[in-house]
Amino acid sequence: MKAVVIGGTGLIGSKVVRKLDDHGHEAVPASPKTGVNTLTGEGLADVLQGAQVVIDVSNSPSYEDEAVMHFFRTSTTNLLQAAAEAGVTHYVALSIVGTDRLPENGYFRAKLAQEKLIKASGLPYSVVHATQFFEFMNGIADSATEGDTVRIAPVKFQPIHSDDVATAVARTAAGTPLDGTVEIAGPDTFRFDELVRDVLTAQNDPRTVVADPHAPYFGSELQEASLVPGAGAQLAGTRFADWFAQQKK
């Protein structure tokens, strides 16, 4: 199987490429670094020649609301057209658990728009909804910081290791198209504010974490289950505590 991994030089994409290669598939990383630009269409036709699968794990260079919407709408439209012309038989995209629950979040709105384009394309597809990555914890804390205070909503939170995300994406790509969505998450559910507090404390970070039910998460007020998957989600094996312990060594 030839699979073209859009965003194949990034955190998740490089792992997906490696996992597919390890299982005997031909995985081709595609990104601006390799001469492929989904925003302009540059290099798409050439890289997709002979591909059976497209895996889109690309990300917007800007998280500003208009910029991120432009990125996902334009790049997905270009990629879907090129994939159809190349005869691709499975279109796989990585998205986020809760894209339809947080309309105030510009990034989630853009990802939802991407999903709608894929579903309306007529191509056989699979969408993988992942929870937040372990690696994002410090970035989340930084985004919620005012002065020396970090305001986090006391809601459920079930992060996942990026390596487990890549495994799930690669497994999905090698399988039959779902023409639907699968949810993936880590094995443990935390209270969001408590996990952020524990992480910062372990890093000797002097900031104070405050549980605030109205604290915005990148522009959206969270409900209890906004960021966690529903019943039937695939749960990964890596526990946050084990991963975090390795980071401190």
Side-chain angles (χ1 to χ4, degrees):
M1 176 185 82
K2 178 183 177 181
V4 175
V5 184
I6 306 297
T9 58
L11 171 67
I12 300 297
S14 59
K15 293 175 183 284
V16 171
V17 168
R18 187 163 57 250
K19 290 176 185 295
L20 288 172
D21 282 342
D22 288 347
H23 283 83
H25 302 293
E26 179 189 356
V28 180
S31 74
K33 292 181 180 178
T34 69
V36 178
N37 189 322
T38 53
L39 271 178
T40 65
E42 177 189 1
L44 276 179
D46 288 340
V47 78
L48 290 176
Q49 284 186 5
Q52 289 80 47
V53 181
V54 165
I55 303 169
D56 187 2
V57 294
S58 62
N59 205 355
S60 172
S62 170
Y63 281 20
E64 189 275 325
D65 285 2
E66 289 186 11
V68 73
M69 181 64 78
H70 172 71
F71 175 84
F72 281 114
R73 277 184 171 165
T74 303
S75 63
T76 302
T77 298
N78 289 339
L79 187 52
L80 285 166
Q81 181 179 342
E85 291 173 353
V88 166
T89 56
H90 192 183
Y91 192 105
V92 181
L94 176 62
S95 192
I96 312 166
V97 166
T99 50
D100 57 345
R101 302 176 203 153
L102 300 175
E104 298 86 4
N105 184 310
Y107 190 86
F108 278 44
R109 282 199 307 272
K111 292 298 289 183
L112 184 60
Q114 177 193 32
E115 293 177 34
K116 288 180 177 178
L117 287 169
I118 294 167
K119 293 173 183 178
S121 70
L123 287 174
Y125 74 91
S126 301
V127 174
V128 180
H129 271 186
T131 53
Q132 287 65 35
F133 304 165
F134 292 172
E135 291 88 346
F136 290 172
M137 293 303 302
N138 287 106
I140 289 170
D142 292 346
S143 73
T145 297
E146 297 177 2
D148 293 326
T149 301
V150 185
R151 297 188 179 278
I152 301 288
V155 298
K156 291 180 179 177
F157 190 67
Q158 196 170 344
I160 185 170
H161 186 208
S162 63
D163 197 62
D164 290 333
V165 174
T167 296
V169 170
R171 181 174 60 240
T172 301
T176 303
L178 301 173
D179 288 327
T181 301
V182 61
E183 291 188 317
I184 59 173
D188 301 313
T189 303
F190 304 90
R191 208 176 84 169
F192 199 4
D193 62 304
E194 292 177 349
L195 183 60
V196 172
R197 184 180 296 110
D198 289 345
V199 167
L200 295 185
T201 298
Q203 295 172 337
N204 297 314
D205 192 309
R207 287 177 289 180
T208 300
V209 177
V210 174
D212 180 353
H214 302 293
Y217 178 73
F218 297 103
S220 293
E221 190 167 310
L222 298 174
Q223 304 301 314
E224 177 69 6
S226 293
L227 299 178
V228 294
Q234 296 179 5
L235 300 186
T238 308
R239 297 189 176 279
F240 182 84
D242 295 335
W243 172 84
F244 192 61
Q246 288 295 318
Q247 306 312 300
K248 294 188 292 184
K249 289 184 178 180

